[in-house]
Amino acid sequence: MSIVKINVLTVPAEQRETLEKRFASRAGAVENSDGFEWFELLRPIEGTDDYLVYTRWRDEESFKAWMEGPMKAAHQGGGAAAGERPKPASSSAAVWSFEVVQQAAPKG
């Protein structure tokens, strides 16, 4: 079965719009990667400043290939001015990894 990677990004309230715009501008960056199955950016509603970036992959190898290829290249790209990278919108990040052992979809 698939694997899930959840990137937990702690984002101060004043940086939320910046983070969401950055993800909106990267639309298509992962969708064509071999083994990619699903993406969701989850905004916190209450009680936390943590955004969750949910991706599902066919297998660990597909995820690693994306990390070492397209994702790495995207995060090493220069900023708009003088080759500077933009300041991160998050104050901390962690990656959680899971194996899918059960799943369900709506019937019909």
Side-chain angles (χ1 to χ4, degrees), residues 15-87:
Q15 290 295 325
R16 286 181 169 197
E17 184 177 349
T18 298
L19 178 86
E20 292 179 22
K21 284 181 180 179
R22 287 181 184 170
F23 271 92
S25 71
R26 53 104 345 253
V30 69
E31 287 87 335
N32 293 321
S33 297
D34 184 49
F36 170 78
E37 296 179 351
W38 199 259
F39 162 85
E40 291 178 321
L41 175 62
L42 306 176
R43 177 192 302 138
I45 295 174
E46 60 187 352
T48 185
D49 288 331
D50 292 340
Y51 274 72
L52 301 180
V53 183
Y54 173 100
T55 57
R56 190 175 68 218
W57 299 86
R58 176 180 57 229
D59 51 35
E60 186 71 24
E61 292 74 25
S62 298
F63 172 74
K64 286 180 180 177
W66 175 75
M67 286 287 292
E68 288 301 314
M71 193 285 299
K72 190 174 186 179
H75 282 81
Q76 289 178 343
E84 295 179 14
R85 290 183 64 194
K87 181 181 176 189

